[in-house]
Coordinates of all heavy atoms in Angstrom, one line a residue:
M238 N 45.7 -4.0 76.2 CA 46.7 -5.1 76.1 C 47.0 -5.4 74.6 O 48.1 -5.5 74.2 CB 46.1 -6.4 76.7 CG 45.9 -6.2 78.2 SD 46.9 -7.2 79.1 CE 46.4 -6.8 80.8
A239 N 45.9 -5.4 73.8 CA 46.2 -5.7 72.4 C 45.9 -4.5 71.5 O 45.3 -3.6 72.0 CB 45.3 -6.9 72.0
G240 N 46.3 -4.6 70.3 CA 46.0 -3.5 69.4 C 47.2 -2.5 69.3 O 47.0 -1.4 68.8
E241 N 48.3 -2.8 69.8 CA 49.4 -1.9 69.7 C 50.5 -2.4 68.7 O 50.7 -3.6 68.6 CB 50.0 -1.8 71.1 CG 49.6 -0.4 71.7 CD 50.3 -0.2 73.0 OE1 49.9 -0.8 74.0 OE2 51.3 0.6 73.0
G242 N 51.0 -1.5 68.0 CA 52.1 -1.9 67.1 C 51.5 -2.5 65.8 O 52.3 -3.1 65.0
D243 N 50.2 -2.4 65.6 CA 49.7 -3.0 64.4 C 49.6 -2.1 63.3 O 49.5 -2.4 62.1 CB 48.3 -3.6 64.8 CG 48.1 -4.9 64.1 OD1 48.9 -5.8 64.4 OD2 47.1 -5.0 63.4
Q244 N 49.7 -0.8 63.6 CA 49.5 0.2 62.5 C 50.9 0.5 61.8 O 50.9 1.2 60.8 CB 49.0 1.5 63.1 CG 47.5 1.4 63.4 CD 46.9 2.7 63.7 OE1 47.6 3.5 64.4 NE2 45.7 3.0 63.4
D245 N 51.9 -0.1 62.3 CA 53.2 0.1 61.7 C 53.3 -0.7 60.4 O 54.2 -0.4 59.6 CB 54.2 -0.3 62.7 CG 55.4 0.7 62.7 OD1 55.0 1.9 62.8 OD2 56.5 0.3 62.7
H246 N 52.4 -1.6 60.2 CA 52.5 -2.4 59.1 C 51.7 -2.0 57.9 O 51.8 -2.5 56.8 CB 52.1 -3.8 59.4 CG 53.2 -4.9 59.3 ND1 54.5 -4.5 59.0 CD2 53.2 -6.2 59.4 CE1 55.2 -5.6 58.9 NE2 54.4 -6.7 59.1
A247 N 50.9 -0.9 58.1 CA 50.0 -0.5 57.1 C 50.6 0.5 56.2 O 50.1 1.5 55.7 CB 48.7 0.1 57.7
H248 N 51.8 0.2 55.8 CA 52.6 1.2 54.9 C 53.0 0.5 53.7 O 53.9 0.9 53.0 CB 53.8 1.7 55.7 CG 54.0 3.1 55.4 ND1 53.2 4.1 55.9 CD2 55.0 3.7 54.7 CE1 53.7 5.3 55.5 NE2 54.8 5.1 54.8
D249 N 52.4 -0.6 53.4 CA 52.8 -1.4 52.2 C 51.9 -1.2 51.0 O 52.2 -1.7 49.9 CB 52.8 -2.9 52.6 CG 54.2 -3.4 52.7 OD1 55.0 -3.1 51.8 OD2 54.5 -4.1 53.7
G250 N 50.9 -0.4 51.2 CA 49.9 -0.3 50.1 C 50.4 0.4 48.8 O 50.2 0.0 47.7
E251 N 51.2 1.4 49.0 CA 51.7 2.2 47.8 C 53.1 1.7 47.4 O 54.1 2.0 48.0 CB 51.7 3.7 48.2 CG 50.5 4.4 47.8 CD 50.6 5.8 48.1 OE1 51.5 6.5 47.6 OE2 49.7 6.3 48.9
A252 N 53.1 0.9 46.4 CA 54.4 0.5 45.9 C 54.7 1.3 44.6 O 54.1 1.1 43.6 CB 54.3 -1.0 45.5
S253 N 55.7 2.1 44.8 CA 56.0 3.0 43.6 C 57.1 2.2 42.8 O 58.2 1.9 43.2 CB 56.6 4.3 44.2 OG 57.7 4.0 45.0
V254 N 56.6 2.0 41.6 CA 57.5 1.2 40.7 C 58.5 2.2 40.0 O 58.1 3.2 39.5 CB 56.7 0.5 39.6 CG1 57.6 -0.3 38.6 CG2 55.7 -0.4 40.2
P255 N 59.8 1.9 40.1 CA 60.7 2.8 39.4 C 60.6 2.8 37.9 O 60.4 1.8 37.3 CB 62.1 2.2 39.8 CG 61.8 0.8 40.2 CD 60.4 0.8 40.7
P256 N 60.6 4.0 37.3 CA 60.4 4.0 35.8 C 61.5 3.3 35.1 O 62.7 3.4 35.4 CB 60.5 5.5 35.6 CG 61.2 6.1 36.7 CD 61.0 5.3 37.9
R257 N 61.1 2.6 34.1 CA 62.1 1.9 33.3 C 62.8 2.9 32.3 O 62.2 3.9 31.9 CB 61.5 0.8 32.4 CG 60.9 -0.3 33.2 CD 60.4 -1.3 32.3 NE 59.7 -2.4 33.0 CZ 59.1 -3.4 32.4 NH1 59.1 -3.5 31.1 NH2 58.5 -4.3 33.1
P258 N 64.0 2.6 32.0 CA 64.7 3.5 31.0 C 64.2 3.4 29.6 O 63.8 2.3 29.2 CB 66.2 3.0 31.1 CG 66.1 1.6 31.6 CD 64.9 1.6 32.5
C259 N 64.1 4.5 29.0 CA 63.6 4.6 27.6 C 64.5 3.7 26.7 O 65.7 3.8 26.7 CB 63.6 6.0 27.1 SG 63.3 6.2 25.4
P260 N 63.9 2.8 25.9 CA 64.7 1.9 25.0 C 65.4 2.7 23.9 O 66.3 2.1 23.3 CB 63.7 0.9 24.5 CG 62.4 1.6 24.6 CD 62.5 2.5 25.8
V261 N 65.0 3.9 23.7 CA 65.6 4.6 22.6 C 66.8 5.5 23.1 O 67.9 5.4 22.5 CB 64.6 5.6 22.0 CG1 65.2 6.4 20.9 CG2 63.4 4.8 21.4
C262 N 66.6 6.2 24.1 CA 67.7 7.1 24.6 C 68.2 6.8 26.0 O 69.2 7.3 26.4 CB 67.2 8.6 24.5 SG 66.0 9.0 25.7
G263 N 67.5 6.0 26.7 CA 68.0 5.6 28.0 C 67.5 6.4 29.2 O 67.8 6.1 30.3
K264 N 66.7 7.5 28.9 CA 66.2 8.3 29.9 C 65.1 7.6 30.6 O 64.4 6.8 30.0 CB 65.7 9.7 29.4 CG 66.9 10.5 28.9 CD 66.3 11.8 28.3 CE 67.3 12.7 27.7 NZ 66.8 13.9 27.1
P265 N 64.8 8.0 31.9 CA 63.7 7.4 32.6 C 62.4 7.7 31.9 O 62.1 8.8 31.5 CB 63.7 8.0 34.0 CG 64.6 9.2 33.9 CD 65.6 8.9 32.7
A266 N 61.6 6.6 31.7 CA 60.3 6.8 30.9 C 59.3 7.5 31.7 O 59.3 7.4 33.0 CB 59.9 5.4 30.5
V267 N 58.3 8.1 31.0 CA 57.2 8.7 31.7 C 55.9 7.9 31.4 O 55.8 7.2 30.4 CB 57.0 10.2 31.2 CG1 58.3 11.0 31.6 CG2 56.8 10.2 29.7
F268 N 55.0 8.1 32.4 CA 53.8 7.3 32.3 C 53.0 7.5 31.0 O 52.5 6.6 30.4 CB 52.9 7.6 33.5 CG 51.7 6.7 33.5 CD1 51.8 5.4 34.1 CD2 50.5 7.1 33.0 CE1 50.7 4.6 34.1 CE2 49.4 6.3 33.1 CZ 49.5 5.1 33.6
A269 N 53.0 8.8 30.5 CA 52.2 9.2 29.4 C 52.8 8.6 28.1 O 52.0 8.4 27.1 CB 52.1 10.7 29.3
A270 N 54.0 8.3 28.1 CA 54.6 7.8 26.8 C 55.3 6.4 27.0 O 56.2 6.1 26.2 CB 55.7 8.8 26.3
R271 N 54.9 5.7 28.0 CA 55.5 4.4 28.2 C 55.6 3.6 27.0 O 54.6 3.6 26.2 CB 54.6 3.6 29.3 CG 54.9 4.1 30.7 CD 54.2 3.2 31.6 NE 52.8 2.9 31.3 CZ 52.0 2.0 31.9 NH1 52.5 1.4 32.9 NH2 50.8 1.8 31.6
P272 N 56.6 2.8 26.8 CA 57.7 2.7 27.8 C 58.8 3.7 27.4 O 60.0 3.5 27.8 CB 58.2 1.3 27.6 CG 58.0 1.0 26.1 CD 56.8 1.8 25.7
F273 N 58.5 4.7 26.7 CA 59.4 5.7 26.3 C 59.4 6.9 27.2 O 58.5 7.1 28.0 CB 59.2 6.1 24.8 CG 59.1 4.9 23.9 CD1 57.8 4.5 23.5 CD2 60.2 4.3 23.4 CE1 57.7 3.4 22.7 CE2 60.1 3.2 22.6 CZ 58.8 2.7 22.2
C274 N 60.4 7.8 27.0 CA 60.5 9.0 27.8 C 59.7 10.1 27.3 O 59.4 11.1 27.9 CB 62.0 9.4 28.0 SG 62.7 10.1 26.5
S275 N 59.4 10.0 26.0 CA 58.6 11.0 25.4 C 57.9 10.5 24.1 O 58.3 9.5 23.6 CB 59.5 12.2 25.0 OG 60.5 11.8 24.1
N276 N 57.0 11.3 23.5 CA 56.4 10.8 22.3 C 57.3 10.8 21.2 O 57.2 10.0 20.2 CB 55.2 11.8 22.0 CG 54.0 11.5 22.9 OD1 53.8 10.4 23.3 ND2 53.3 12.6 23.2
R277 N 58.3 11.6 21.3 CA 59.3 11.7 20.2 C 60.1 10.4 20.1 O 60.3 9.8 19.0 CB 60.3 12.8 20.4 CG 61.0 13.2 19.2 CD 62.0 14.3 19.5 NE 62.9 14.5 18.3 CZ 63.9 15.2 18.3 NH1 64.3 15.9 19.4 NH2 64.7 15.4 17.3
C278 N 60.5 9.9 21.3 CA 61.2 8.6 21.3 C 60.3 7.5 20.8 O 60.7 6.5 20.1 CB 61.8 8.3 22.7 SG 63.4 9.1 22.9
A279 N 59.0 7.5 21.2 CA 58.1 6.5 20.7 C 58.0 6.5 19.2 O 57.9 5.5 18.5 CB 56.7 6.8 21.3
D280 N 58.1 7.7 18.6 CA 58.0 7.9 17.2 C 59.3 7.3 16.6 O 59.2 6.6 15.5 CB 57.9 9.4 16.9 CG 56.9 9.6 15.7 OD1 55.9 8.9 15.7 OD2 57.2 10.4 14.8
V281 N 60.4 7.6 17.2 CA 61.7 7.1 16.7 C 61.7 5.6 16.6 O 62.1 4.9 15.7 CB 62.8 7.6 17.5 CG1 64.1 6.9 17.2 CG2 63.0 9.1 17.4
D282 N 61.2 5.0 17.7 CA 61.2 3.5 17.8 C 60.2 3.0 16.7 O 60.5 2.0 16.1 CB 60.7 3.1 19.2 CG 60.9 1.6 19.4 OD1 62.0 1.2 19.5 OD2 59.9 0.9 19.4
L283 N 59.1 3.6 16.5 CA 58.1 3.2 15.6 C 58.7 3.2 14.2 O 58.6 2.2 13.4 CB 56.9 4.1 15.6 CG 55.8 3.7 14.6 CD1 55.2 2.3 15.0 CD2 54.7 4.7 14.5
H284 N 59.4 4.2 13.9 CA 60.1 4.3 12.5 C 61.1 3.3 12.4 O 61.3 2.7 11.3 CB 60.7 5.7 12.3 CG 59.6 6.7 11.9 ND1 59.4 7.1 10.6 CD2 58.7 7.4 12.6 CE1 58.5 8.0 10.5 NE2 58.0 8.2 11.8
R285 N 61.9 3.1 13.4 CA 62.9 2.0 13.4 C 62.2 0.7 13.1 O 62.7 -0.1 12.3 CB 63.6 1.9 14.7 CG 64.7 2.9 14.9 CD 65.5 2.6 16.1 NE 66.3 3.7 16.5 CZ 67.0 3.7 17.6 NH1 66.9 2.7 18.5 NH2 67.8 4.7 17.9
W286 N 61.2 0.4 13.8 CA 60.5 -0.9 13.6 C 60.0 -1.0 12.2 O 60.1 -2.1 11.6 CB 59.3 -0.9 14.6 CG 58.8 -2.3 14.7 CD1 59.2 -3.3 15.5 CD2 57.7 -2.8 14.0 NE1 58.4 -4.4 15.3 CE2 57.5 -4.1 14.4 CE3 56.8 -2.3 13.0 CZ2 56.5 -4.9 13.8 CZ3 55.8 -3.1 12.5 CH2 55.6 -4.4 12.9
L287 N 59.4 0.1 11.6 CA 58.8 0.0 10.3 C 59.9 -0.2 9.3 O 59.8 -1.0 8.4 CB 58.1 1.3 10.0 CG 56.7 1.4 10.7 CD1 56.1 2.8 10.4 CD2 55.8 0.3 10.2
R288 N 61.0 0.5 9.5 CA 62.2 0.3 8.6 C 62.7 -1.1 8.6 O 63.0 -1.7 7.6 CB 63.3 1.2 9.0 CG 63.1 2.6 8.4 CD 64.4 3.4 8.6 NE 64.4 4.7 7.9 CZ 65.4 5.4 7.7 NH1 66.6 4.9 8.0 NH2 65.4 6.5 7.0
G289 N 62.8 -1.6 9.8 CA 63.3 -3.0 10.0 C 62.3 -4.0 9.3 O 62.8 -5.0 8.7
A290 N 61.0 -3.8 9.4 CA 60.1 -4.7 8.9 C 60.2 -4.7 7.3 O 60.0 -5.7 6.7 CB 58.7 -4.2 9.3
Y291 N 60.5 -3.5 6.8 CA 60.6 -3.4 5.3 C 61.9 -3.9 4.8 O 62.0 -4.3 3.7 CB 60.4 -1.9 4.9 CG 59.0 -1.5 4.8 CD1 58.4 -0.5 5.6 CD2 58.1 -2.1 3.9 CE1 57.1 -0.1 5.5 CE2 56.8 -1.7 3.8 CZ 56.3 -0.8 4.6 OH 55.0 -0.4 4.5
A292 N 62.9 -3.8 5.7 CA 64.2 -4.2 5.3 C 64.4 -5.7 5.3 O 65.4 -6.2 4.9 CB 65.3 -3.6 6.2
L293 N 63.5 -6.4 5.9 CA 63.6 -7.9 6.0 C 63.7 -8.5 4.6 O 63.0 -8.1 3.7 CB 62.4 -8.5 6.7 CG 62.5 -8.4 8.2 CD1 61.2 -8.9 8.8 CD2 63.6 -9.2 8.8
P294 N 64.6 -9.5 4.4 CA 64.7 -10.1 3.1 C 63.4 -10.9 2.8 O 62.9 -11.7 3.6 CB 65.9 -11.1 3.3 CG 66.0 -11.2 4.8 CD 65.5 -10.0 5.4
A295 N 63.0 -10.7 1.6 CA 61.7 -11.3 1.2 C 61.9 -12.8 0.8 O 61.1 -13.7 1.1 CB 61.1 -10.5 0.1
A296 N 63.0 -13.0 0.1 CA 63.3 -14.4 -0.4 C 64.2 -15.1 0.5 O 65.3 -14.6 0.9 CB 63.8 -14.3 -1.8
D297 N 63.9 -16.3 0.8 CA 64.8 -17.1 1.7 C 65.6 -18.2 0.8 O 66.4 -18.9 1.3 CB 64.0 -17.8 2.8 CG 64.8 -18.0 4.0 OD1 65.9 -17.3 4.1 OD2 64.5 -18.8 4.8
D298 N 65.2 -18.2 -0.5 CA 65.8 -19.2 -1.3 C 67.0 -18.7 -2.1 O 67.1 -18.9 -3.3 CB 64.7 -19.8 -2.3 CG 63.9 -20.9 -1.5 OD1 64.5 -21.7 -0.9 OD2 62.7 -20.8 -1.6
D299 N 67.8 -17.9 -1.5 CA 68.9 -17.3 -2.2 C 70.1 -18.2 -2.4 O 70.9 -18.1 -3.3 CB 69.3 -16.0 -1.4 CG 69.6 -14.9 -2.4 OD1 68.9 -14.8 -3.4 OD2 70.5 -14.1 -2.1
E300 N 70.2 -19.2 -1.5 CA 71.3 -20.1 -1.6 C 71.1 -21.2 -2.5 O 70.1 -22.0 -2.4 CB 71.7 -20.6 -0.2 CG 72.3 -19.5 0.7 CD 72.6 -20.1 2.1 OE1 73.3 -21.2 2.1 OE2 72.2 -19.5 3.0
P301 N 71.9 -21.4 -3.5 CA 71.8 -22.6 -4.4 C 72.1 -23.9 -3.6 O 73.0 -24.0 -2.8 CB 72.8 -22.3 -5.5 CG 73.9 -21.5 -4.8 CD 73.1 -20.6 -3.8
P302 N 71.3 -24.9 -3.9 CA 71.5 -26.2 -3.3 C 72.8 -26.9 -3.7 O 72.8 -27.9 -4.5 CB 70.3 -27.0 -3.7 CG 69.8 -26.4 -5.0 CD 70.3 -24.9 -4.9
L303 N 73.9 -26.4 -3.3 CA 75.2 -27.0 -3.7 C 75.4 -28.4 -3.2 O 75.9 -29.3 -3.9 CB 76.3 -26.1 -3.2 CG 76.6 -24.8 -4.1 CD1 77.6 -24.0 -3.5 CD2 77.0 -25.3 -5.5
E304 N 75.0 -28.6 -1.9 CA 75.3 -29.9 -1.3 C 74.6 -31.0 -2.0 O 75.1 -32.1 -2.3 CB 74.9 -29.9 0.2 CG 76.0 -29.4 1.1 CD 75.7 -29.7 2.5 OE1 75.8 -30.9 2.9 OE2 75.3 -28.8 3.2
A305 N 73.3 -30.8 -2.3 CA 72.5 -31.8 -3.0 C 73.1 -32.1 -4.4 O 73.2 -33.3 -4.8 CB 71.1 -31.3 -3.2
D306 N 73.6 -31.1 -5.0 CA 74.2 -31.2 -6.3 C 75.5 -32.0 -6.3 O 75.7 -33.0 -7.0 CB 74.4 -29.9 -7.0 CG 74.4 -29.9 -8.5 OD1 73.8 -30.9 -9.0 OD2 74.9 -29.1 -9.1
A307 N 76.3 -31.7 -5.3 CA 77.6 -32.4 -5.1 C 77.4 -33.8 -4.8 O 78.1 -34.7 -5.3 CB 78.4 -31.7 -4.1
K308 N 76.4 -34.1 -4.0 CA 76.2 -35.5 -3.6 C 75.8 -36.3 -4.8 O 76.1 -37.5 -4.9 CB 75.1 -35.5 -2.5 CG 74.9 -36.8 -1.9 CD 73.8 -36.8 -0.9 CE 73.5 -38.1 -0.3 NZ 72.4 -38.2 0.6
D309 N 75.0 -35.6 -5.7 CA 74.5 -36.4 -6.8 C 75.6 -36.7 -7.8 O 75.7 -37.7 -8.5 CB 73.4 -35.5 -7.5 CG 72.4 -36.4 -8.2 OD1 72.1 -37.5 -7.6 OD2 71.9 -36.1 -9.3
R310 N 76.6 -35.8 -7.9 CA 77.7 -35.9 -8.8 C 78.8 -36.8 -8.3 O 79.7 -37.3 -9.0 CB 78.3 -34.6 -9.2 CG 77.3 -33.7 -9.9 CD 77.9 -32.4 -10.3 NE 78.7 -32.5 -11.5 CZ 79.5 -31.5 -12.0 NH1 79.4 -30.4 -11.4 NH2 80.1 -31.7 -13.1
G311 N 78.8 -37.1 -7.0 CA 79.8 -37.8 -6.3 C 79.8 -39.3 -6.7 O 80.8 -40.0 -6.7
E312 N 78.7 -39.8 -7.1 CA 78.6 -41.2 -7.4 C 79.1 -41.7 -8.8 O 79.0 -41.0 -9.7 CB 77.2 -41.6 -7.2 CG 77.0 -42.1 -5.8 CD 75.6 -42.8 -5.7 OE1 75.4 -43.8 -6.4 OE2 74.8 -42.3 -4.9
Ligands
ZN81 ZN1 63.8 8.5 25.1

């Protein structure tokens, strides 16, 4: 009487996650080089990151305080 139709539900264990696209070239990523599609793309991204880190402006005080000066001379 009981125990029928219960095995139809035991198919949920394996959830295959679809591979994300490589952020560098857009190809589907592989497990070995996540989140990239290959070690080469991982290298490209690393170099980009390093370049970006070095290209960041070191000084933030490049703008002269014009407003403060104008306010002082206005009186
Ligand atoms: Zn790639």
Side-chain angles (χ1 to χ4, degrees):
M238 296 244 179
E241 257 186 281
D243 220 55
Q244 283 190 325
D245 224 44
H246 240 8
H248 219 71
D249 250 314
E251 267 181 60
S253 55
V254 182
R257 291 183 188 180
C259 171
V261 176
C262 69
K264 289 181 186 176
V267 297
F268 185 83
R271 282 189 310 173
F273 307 100
C274 71
S275 63
N276 284 327
R277 198 182 170 191
C278 274
D280 221 43
V281 170
D282 189 72
L283 179 68
H284 278 262
R285 277 189 193 172
W286 191 87
L287 285 175
R288 276 194 172 197
Y291 276 118
L293 279 175
D297 210 18
D298 278 313
D299 221 33
E300 287 182 50
L303 280 176
E304 268 193 77
D306 207 19
K308 189 181 177 186
D309 211 35
R310 295 182 80 182
E312 266 190 62

